[in-house]
Amino acid sequence: MSKPSISLCMIVKNEERFLARCLKSVQGLVEEIIIVDTGSTDNTKEIAECFGAKIYTFEWVNDFSKARNEAIKYAQSDYVLVLDADEYLESADQILLLLESLEKDIYFLSIKSFLRGGISTIHPVIRLFRNVPELKFFGRIHEQIIIPADSLFTQDHLEVMINHDGYMKDVITEKNKEQRNLKILLEDLEEQETGFGLFNLGIQYKMMGQYEQAIKTFEKAFPLSMEYSYICKLITSLIQCYMELEQFDKALVICHESIEAYPNYTDLYYLQGQIYESLHYINDASESFNHCLKIGDVRNHELMTFHGVGSYMALTSLAGISLRKGDMTQAIQKVTDSLGINKHYMPSIKLLLDITKNTSFKDAFEFISKTWEISSLDDLKEMIGVLYKLRHPLLYGFCELYNHNVDKSILAAGYLYSKRYNEAASIWYEIEHIVDVDELEDVMLCSILTKDKVLIQKYKHKFSLREKDYKLIIRCLEREELNNNHWAKDLEQLLVRFFEKLIQLHEFDTIDYFVSQMTSYNLQFSFAKILANYGFNDIAINIMDLQLPNVDRDALVWIADQLAAVGNYNESMRFYEFANEQESTFNVLESMYQICIKNNDSYKLFNLIQAMKNSTPKSKWANKLEHYNFLSR
């Protein structure tokens, strides 16, 4: 039996940024490339011609299926492969072997959509099918091959991965995809209201941050979608919308009910863990993430899923919990395991850097280099990019590995956060235009540290500061008394960001100035939290002692946490009890419970267990606690 032939069919418009990558990925796999262009004004057609494509034009009518079917009608091969320009096949060698044995009529392939920070989703879609008139696309947007109910077409899933980065934020913004897609979806639903159409509309609202509208749309789609494979994605999207709105109780109820219906869908347990973390149900969160590891990533090819929920994503969440508990060994082990599976997952990289924040530069550099192995120039570029985004003190060290062959803005930040302030300033004096907000903050911080009024004046017109706020920054630069406890919220947030950077730089004189002069309650509490986060617990507690007895409940809980962290359990319990008198919450009860275990206080333990069991939402972990187990120790 001869190897079947394949036609690649595509619709494009202004795709010069991606098209060559896509077409290179199918070289040697397809017999012909058919391009239907809907109005390109860039070099898209020229790039397609370089790959020998047959190019046709088609007037865009706000209907993706019509454009797809226009491309298919020109195909001459046995099978049709459909790709978008921002997609590309992952492994040509593996695919060649698979394609030699094609015999089914319809094949589902897997699409991995990259979102941001190493996060990606995987979902199945029909992209390879026999070239027959009965198989064509339907739907103005999120178009699909509709298989006739009475057909005898055979189908299977092919282990082929299509990579897709069209959902990256910069791409969506560049192409104005959100408004275009919303318009088409609404037009499509006006003609015929379907569960799939409503589901896609809900996803669109969610991507645009319109969570309440998304919830209404998902709830309307739900009864029309029960029998379809996208129902699980609909449920998880609904849960995420409630989480974004911080309606965690509702999100948790949906999670629990859905887990009963879909007990092997890992995404539900992962979201459950995230909700418990948000509610400070740490033990419940740990159990949820561990269950993710137990059942692993979703293996059902019909379901949409987040890649890694049963592996590196769950491991990273557990590492973060271990770090919060002070178990550094477990934190390091789990984040290392996570990076061993996916070294590009941003939360893992951030956590790895967070683990080193209280160590020396030399030890941190060695630890990062060993744990996150740089085996190529691309790896080095990626790490520099991450460190620049985080404004991390290790940035300059990795820039040196790149022989300083980096953008001037990156090098200036590297100088700043390695305390080479004058060299950083000299670069910013040379740069004519800065538009990046983070870089402008770097310039402002450098000016404050070096008391350089000329540098800050150069970029004054770029700062989004009111005149009175700018004058306060100048007073900070000159280390004058401020005599002002009323700060605008955005200015407070800026000063808090500066304060953390001062801690990283160990600029203790300037830190003392901030603490002594910026005496508003919000700033003092924020400063204390940052100090504690970097290991200066005693100083942090002293700052909040000066605010007593006017602290709010959040501060009472925070002070209790800090006292517990340094082993002062009796004082810690006293502050927890003050907080609990104002409002009883599960996280405070659980913290009090842990202290009672350490102190072997069985009397308080019984009452705390009962209180935790009565908390809403219910804690599965607390519900399993039995008081007699502790009395018998």
Side-chain angles (χ1 to χ4, degrees), residues 38 143 174 181 207 298 302 304 314 343 421 450 525 542 556-557 628:
T38 62
E143 63 283 3
E174 178 186 318
N181 291 357
M207 290 175 66
V298 175
E302 295 183 5
M304 302 181 186
K343 69 183 294 184
Y421 306 134
T450 57
F525 190 15
N542 287 338
L556 289 173
V557 174
Y628 65 81

Side-chain angles (χ1 to χ4, degrees), residues 281-284 287 586 588-597 604-615 618-633:
Y281 285 43
I282 300 305
N283 287 294
D284 289 281
E287 289 186 0
F586 186 87
V588 170
L589 294 170
E590 186 177 354
S591 297
M592 294 168 71
Y593 162 86
Q594 297 294 346
I595 291 176
C596 287
I597 293 293
K604 285 184 180 178
L605 199 61
F606 176 80
N607 294 327
L608 286 168
I609 291 173
Q610 294 308 119
M612 284 192 292
K613 288 183 178 182
N614 293 333
S615 291
K618 299 295 182 185
S619 164
K620 294 182 178 181
W621 168 80
N623 206 46
K624 291 183 288 187
L625 293 176
E626 295 293 343
H627 184 56
Y628 65 81
N629 287 341
F630 302 104
L631 291 179
S632 62
R633 287 186 175 183

Side-chain angles (χ1 to χ4, degrees), residues 420-439:
R420 298 169 68 168
Y421 306 134
N422 291 331
E423 288 164 281
S426 66
I427 292 177
W428 284 317
Y429 273 117
E430 292 175 7
I431 297 175
E432 292 186 9
H433 302 289
I434 296 177
V435 295
D436 181 74
V437 174
D438 292 329
E439 187 173 4

Side-chain angles (χ1 to χ4, degrees), residues 391 412-413 416-417 421 424-425 428-429 434-479 487 490-499 501-502 505 510 513-514 518:
R391 299 307 200 262
L416 174 63
Y417 293 103
Y421 306 134
W428 284 317
Y429 273 117
I434 296 177
V435 295
D436 181 74
V437 174
D438 292 329
E439 187 173 4
L440 287 168
E441 287 189 11
D442 288 340
V443 171
M444 201 181 302
L445 177 63
C446 186
S447 300
I448 290 172
L449 286 166
T450 57
K451 301 181 180 181
D452 188 341
K453 288 181 68 174
V454 177
L455 179 61
I456 200 171
Q457 184 67 32
K458 177 184 178 182
Y459 292 101
K460 178 184 177 182
H461 65 290
K462 292 287 186 179
F463 299 137
S464 56
L465 289 173
R466 293 169 291 272
E467 183 62 29
K468 65 176 183 178
D469 293 338
Y470 178 76
K471 287 179 179 178
L472 280 171
I473 293 294
I474 295 298
R475 291 178 71 84
C476 291
L477 181 150
E478 294 175 338
R479 306 298 189 271
W487 306 79
D490 55 349
L491 183 59
E492 279 193 346
Q493 292 169 344
L494 174 65
L495 294 170
V496 169
R497 291 195 294 274
F498 282 168
F499 190 81
K501 292 171 181 178
L502 293 172
L505 292 166
T510 312
Y513 170 79
F514 270 52
M518 301 171 193

Side-chain angles (χ1 to χ4, degrees), residues 130-144:
R130 200 174 293 279
N131 187 11
V132 294
E134 295 85 351
L135 294 176
K136 59 183 179 179
F137 283 94
F138 292 86
R140 292 189 182 199
I141 191 169
H142 301 298
E143 63 283 3
Q144 302 178 85

